[in-house]
Amino acid sequence: MSCMEGKSVNRKLYYIIVELSKKHTKYRSVVFVSSTKKVVFISSIILNVLFLGVFAFYATSSSAMKNPLSSKDSSKQSYRDNPYYIERTTLFKQLSIPKESIVFLGDSITQRSEWSELFHNKQIVNRGVADDTTEGVLHRLKSITDAKPKKIFLMIGINDLNEQKSVKKTKANYTEILERIHKESPNTKVYIQSVLPVNNKKCGDAVDNKDVIALNNYLERLAKKHNDSYIDLYSKVSTHNQLKSNFTVDGLHLKGQGYAIWKQEVQAYINQ
């Protein structure tokens, strides 16, 4: 083979290699584009699923926060099965109520305050239990009356109304609570605090404040019957028969400003 022939062959081989290289590059580009489309498509599906999940969680959480009374949670359970009730009452069994104590007895509205700090009084004991009802208080009342406390500040009943228990049944339970306190701890001074209103715009319509008013009217008469003190907190934290919006986040529980009003109304009775 001559030098020229060799060069001709080499040139042909060169062109062949170049063409093959171009085809290979084009093939790789097609594969890359196709793979990229698949990745983008799959990523889009994943992101959409995540978005829907986050949206559903947010919607559920927002609904629960806006409607603390109407949500299907532990507040609908019997106190016997309610985790809040079980946790708090089993804790109370590990504690004792000292002599001459002042007991704040009630549900989550009572539980959420730091009473001894609020009044700068170490005699005060908090016996509030989230979700508690008049029935639940009756069940755990003996652990309180056995201690023979000096005073009991009682607020209970809003969860009874939330659970659609009749005002009549709630009144009957409340009457029994007072009768038992006076029988089991006759020297204990009882202060009946009115049930607070709810803010229906924030917590829904599970509770009608007309029922709260009816219950409070009965409690005021009951206090007179048993020679107990009735403390009207309802009118101090409400406007147009609604819990003031600046006193609450969820329409049921109080912010600090609400507890400040509560303290102001109760302070004189603490000092007696």
Side-chain angles (χ1 to χ4, degrees):
M1 182 183 293
S2 66
C3 182
M4 289 300 293
E5 289 175 337
K7 287 182 178 180
S8 177
V9 172
N10 288 338
R11 192 176 293 113
K12 288 180 180 180
L13 286 174
Y14 170 76
Y15 287 136
I16 291 171
I17 292 171
V18 169
E19 287 299 318
L20 288 172
S21 178
K22 287 180 179 179
K23 289 181 180 180
H24 180 66
T25 302
K26 183 178 181 181
Y27 173 76
R28 288 177 60 191
S29 298
V30 171
V31 171
F32 175 76
V33 170
S34 177
S35 299
T36 302
K37 287 182 178 179
K38 288 181 180 179
V39 170
V40 171
F41 178 71
I42 293 171
S43 299
S44 176
I45 292 175
I46 293 173
L47 288 174
N48 282 326
V49 171
L50 289 174
F51 174 77
L52 289 173
V54 170
F55 178 79
F57 174 78
Y58 174 78
T60 303
S61 300
S62 298
S63 176
M65 188 177 81
K66 290 179 181 177
N67 299 285
L69 290 172
S70 59
S71 59
K72 294 181 179 180
D73 55 15
S74 56
S75 67
K76 303 298 183 182
Q77 296 174 319
S78 164
Y79 68 87
R80 296 181 181 86
D81 303 313
N82 190 302
Y84 298 139
Y85 190 91
I86 295 170
E87 289 164 2
R88 288 287 284 178
T89 54
T90 52
L91 171 62
F92 294 155
K93 289 180 180 180
Q94 310 305 314
L95 307 173
S96 60
I97 299 175
K99 292 182 179 180
E100 296 298 296
S101 289
I102 299 172
V103 176
F104 274 73
L105 177 60
D107 49 41
S108 59
I109 302 174
T110 296
Q111 180 183 332
R112 291 188 179 199
S113 179
E114 302 296 340
W115 297 107
S116 61
E117 294 180 60
L118 191 64
F119 288 99
H120 305 287
N121 189 330
K122 294 182 179 180
Q123 286 183 297
I124 298 177
V125 176
N126 190 334
R127 285 298 180 267
V129 174
D131 291 345
D132 208 2
T133 62
T134 53
E135 185 181 13
V137 168
L138 279 170
H139 182 259
R140 63 188 176 98
L141 189 59
K142 191 173 187 302
S143 64
I144 296 168
T145 56
D146 280 352
K148 304 296 187 289
K150 182 179 180 181
K151 300 175 182 179
I152 293 177
F153 286 82
L154 176 62
M155 181 190 288
I156 196 70
I158 194 65
N159 290 318
D160 293 69
L161 300 180
N162 175 49
E163 294 179 9
Q164 307 305 310
K165 293 179 181 176
S166 68
V167 175
K168 182 179 180 181
K169 177 61 176 176
T170 305
K171 289 177 181 179
N173 286 345
Y174 216 116
T175 301
E176 187 177 350
I177 290 171
L178 291 183
E179 290 175 348
R180 281 188 51 190
I181 291 175
H182 289 300
K183 180 180 179 180
E184 297 170 12
S185 185
N187 293 325
T188 297
K189 181 64 177 174
V190 181
Y191 299 86
I192 300 175
Q193 302 167 114
S194 63
V195 177
L196 302 184
V198 300
N199 187 300
N200 293 120
K201 288 184 178 180
K202 292 189 175 185
C203 71
D205 299 323
V207 172
D208 188 337
N209 282 324
K210 290 181 180 179
D211 290 333
V212 178
I213 293 172
L215 178 58
N216 283 337
N217 288 338
Y218 175 79
L219 296 182
E220 187 172 11
R221 295 194 300 270
L222 193 63
K224 291 179 181 178
K225 178 180 178 181
H226 289 275
N227 198 30
D228 295 324
S229 297
Y230 176 79
I231 304 174
D232 174 27
L233 296 175
Y234 184 102
S235 65
K236 309 302 181 183
V237 299
S238 66
T239 181
H240 304 298
N241 285 322
Q242 293 287 308
L243 179 60
K244 292 181 179 179
S245 58
N246 61 316
F247 285 172
T248 183
V249 173
D250 61 11
L252 170 67
H253 300 99
L254 295 176
K255 293 165 59 177
Q257 300 95 313
Y259 284 111
I261 296 295
W262 193 336
K263 175 188 176 183
Q264 179 180 314
E265 297 302 314
V266 169
Q267 182 73 70
Y269 299 102
I270 294 287
N271 296 337
Q272 284 181 352

